[in-house]
Amino acid sequence: MDKTIVSPAAAVADIGDGATVMIGGFGGSGAPVELIHALVDAGPRNLTVVNNNAGNGHVGLAALIEQGQVARLICSFPRSTDPKVFTDLYFAGKIELEIVPQGTLAERIRAGGAGIPAFYTPTSYGTELAEGKPVAEFDGRHYVQERWLKADFALIKAELGDPLGNLTYRMAALNFNPLMAMAAEKTIAQVSRIVPAGSIDPEHVVTPGIFVDGVVEISEPKQEEVLNREGAVYP
Amino acid sequence: MSAQLDAIKLSNAQIAWRAAQDIEDGAYVNLGIGFPEMIAKFQPEGRDVIYHTENGVLGFGAAPAEGEEDWDLINAGKKAVTLKPSAAFFHHADSFAMVRGGHLDLAVLGAYQVAENGDLANWSTGKGGVPAVGGAMDLVHGARRVAVVTDHVTRKGEPKLVQRCSMPLTGLACVTRIYTSLAVVDIENGHFVLREKLLQISFDDLQAVTGAELKVEGDFADLAVPEL
């Protein structure tokens, strides 16, 4: 078995118009910038994107949004140091926004990957973000029912990957990546290095290869924060 | 009144200092983005406090020197941080298991309004703008204590401690203590209970800028904070 993909372009080639795409990362940390830019180049439109944020500056997710490819965004915090791209489209009514509390977003994705269609959480009870959702009382406290979240594709970033898709991560770049890997029909990971099968200690594997469909090596991945400080614009 | 208040009120750094004094040795603490983050700077010496950030780090420390940033090592405010010995990384579902599962000792957040029943409004003014909630709605349910640091009144001089929040709620009956620019106030049984106030303001004047009754149980202390 070899899940290695030769290029970012080949990795995103199957993503078509109207797809739901989970994109890993928290701000720029753990964001698969090169895969996102390949998606900008490929040009599918009317995408639903799941990410914690709404992009920053004019690279990565912000570039995808700026090209008008994202019809709907599911996120917890659509603000950043330079949120203009998203904000302008939002107020122009050109992008739909579903705000989800961050922990609920993480758990909905985890549930999607774990085969749990719904769960109850104390988060958002009594607030406008709980409107229309079933509420139940357990042991004297109120909880809100939330549904799982799944996607057609997940684009994630990891550190080491092997041809079977086993992944390790670097520092806090973990964030949503291992969860999204579980929750998509097809998960593509960009990794800093593809190593031979057997060279990742099984005790160090964070995402087992069963959750991963493709691995593409980006040996020196760009950091969104660095690109923004350089004033980069994609494409 | 508001000019007088501006003259005596604590700075944000002083409010953060006061809040830091209550964080005990060994506590697991989440500090909200912005103002609450400042509390870590005033952690009293000799106490070991483990800071949690929603994006998956326990045991992070101060910002690195400029040029030393690693952008895979950030906090919830997307600022570069460093690691203390015994730090740990984890994914977002585990991070919020720590939050909702009751494993944090304390969360400190900012506020637009806090009601006397402990309701908190801190994520949306309800006046348009792009809504953004982040982890606030999760943090208020789970940490054993939820504290707020805030100015006592708005820029227009209106009370931020109120009977009922008029802005969109973050959580119901979740706040346990409020550190303001004028006082330290606990929330107990649906009431504001005054614990400390600045010596320079009378109880009546403090009550006048508070939107609900300030109860006094026994005695209250002077809110004494160093110049910072």
Side-chain angles (χ1 to χ4, degrees):
Chain A
M1 190 188 293
D2 188 352
K3 299 179 181 176
T4 304
I5 300 174
V6 292
S7 69
V12 303
D14 293 345
I15 303 178
D17 290 351
T20 296
V21 185
M22 290 180 176
I23 299 179
F26 180 87
S29 168
V33 172
E34 286 75 9
L35 286 180
I36 301 169
H37 288 170
L39 196 56
V40 171
D41 296 343
R45 301 185 71 81
N46 200 25
L47 302 173
T48 294
V49 168
V50 182
N51 182 266
N52 185 63
N53 302 100
N56 191 8
H58 302 271
V59 296
L61 177 54
L64 191 68
I65 292 170
E66 193 162 27
Q67 295 305 310
Q69 293 172 259
V70 183
R72 184 159 181 265
L73 182 68
I74 302 173
C75 81
S76 87
F77 201 77
R79 289 189 200 144
S80 65
T81 50
D82 179 7
K84 190 173 185 316
V85 165
F86 172 80
T87 304
D88 286 354
L89 286 172
Y90 176 74
F91 284 121
K94 290 182 176 163
I95 189 164
E96 193 187 327
L97 173 66
E98 179 182 345
I99 282 288
V100 183
Q102 199 174 127
T104 298
L105 182 63
E107 194 63 17
R108 287 178 65 190
I109 297 166
R110 198 200 71 82
I116 309 284
F119 59 91
Y120 283 92
T121 175
T123 303
S124 90
Y125 173 71
T127 76
E128 61 186 56
L129 294 190
E131 281 169 17
K133 292 174 182 169
V135 166
E137 190 177 321
F138 299 97
D139 300 329
R141 277 187 77 186
H142 289 97
Y143 297 84
V144 177
Q145 190 193 87
E146 295 282 357
R147 297 291 308 275
W148 62 10
L149 200 51
K150 299 201 270 190
D152 301 312
F153 297 89
L155 302 181
I156 66 167
K157 182 182 186 181
E159 180 63 8
L160 298 181
D162 71 17
L164 275 73
N166 294 307
L167 304 176
T168 70
Y169 296 86
R170 187 168 178 276
M171 298 207 273
L174 200 64
N175 56 62
F176 284 92
N177 285 303
L179 307 174
M180 290 180 171
M182 297 162 59
E185 281 291 313
K186 187 170 182 184
T187 291
I188 311 293
Q190 71 167 67
V191 300
S192 300
R193 197 151 54 96
I194 295 180
V195 296
S199 34
I200 301 176
D201 185 333
E203 288 186 344
H204 296 167
V205 172
V206 176
T207 294
I210 191 170
F211 297 125
V212 179
D213 301 282
V215 183
V216 58
E217 184 175 281
I218 308 288
S219 57
E220 286 178 15
K222 296 270 184 4
Q223 285 283 8
E224 183 184 280
E225 183 70 29
V226 173
L227 290 172
N228 279 332
R229 285 173 180 230
E230 292 167 358
V233 174
Y234 196 87
Chain B
M1 185 74 184
S2 83
Q4 282 166 279
L5 289 184
D6 283 347
I8 62 165
K9 73 173 192 179
L10 300 181
S11 66
N12 281 358
Q14 288 175 305
I15 300 170
W17 180 91
R18 177 59 192 86
Q21 307 312 303
D22 287 347
I23 302 177
E24 63 271 29
D25 187 39
Y28 288 90
V29 177
N30 183 295
L31 302 176
I33 295 173
F35 176 12
E37 286 178 61
M38 210 190 288
I39 292 169
K41 283 205 300 195
F42 300 111
Q43 182 186 310
E45 263 184 57
R47 289 187 210 172
D48 209 3
V49 177
I50 299 100
Y51 293 104
H52 167 269
T53 181
E54 294 96 301
N55 56 309
V57 192
L58 265 178
F60 68 94
E66 208 175 319
E68 300 287 305
E69 299 95 344
D70 184 321
W71 297 108
D72 282 340
L73 183 53
I74 60 174
N75 64 12
K78 319 252 168 31
K79 296 194 188 94
V81 294
T82 53
L83 295 179
K84 291 182 177 173
S86 302
F89 296 121
F90 36 87
H91 62 60
H92 249 83
D94 280 355
S95 183
F96 281 89
M98 294 174 194
V99 172
R100 288 183 309 258
H103 305 284
L104 292 177
D105 295 294
L106 173 69
V108 188
L109 298 106
Y112 294 136
Q113 293 176 321
V114 187
E116 61 181 345
N117 61 359
D119 288 359
L120 173 68
N122 83 340
W123 75 283
S124 164
T125 58
K127 291 177 189 159
V130 179
V133 67
M137 282 193 189
D138 305 281
L139 283 163
V140 297
H141 295 290
R144 271 185 282 258
R145 289 179 288 123
V146 175
V148 159
V149 287
T150 180
D151 233 308
H152 201 88
V153 298
T154 67
R155 272 180 213 161
K156 290 181 180 166
E158 289 158 357
K160 296 183 80 165
L161 280 59
V162 296
Q163 276 187 317
R164 290 291 174 269
C165 295
S166 58
M167 291 180 180
L169 292 177
T170 306
L172 269 56
C174 52
V175 176
T176 53
R177 174 165 269 207
I178 313 161
Y179 301 93
T180 82
S181 48
L182 303 174
V184 177
V185 176
D186 280 342
I187 290 173
E188 288 177 7
N189 306 314
H191 297 289
F192 291 132
V193 179
L194 181 64
R195 294 298 178 206
E196 297 177 16
K197 70 163 189 65
L198 288 178
L199 192 59
Q200 302 94 312
I201 187 167
S202 71
F203 178 83
D204 288 347
D205 284 349
L206 183 65
Q207 179 64 74
V209 292
T210 306
E213 186 187 355
L214 277 175
K215 292 204 179 273
V216 176
E217 287 176 359
D219 222 354
F220 53 79
D222 289 337
L223 171 53
V225 174
E227 292 294 327
L228 293 167

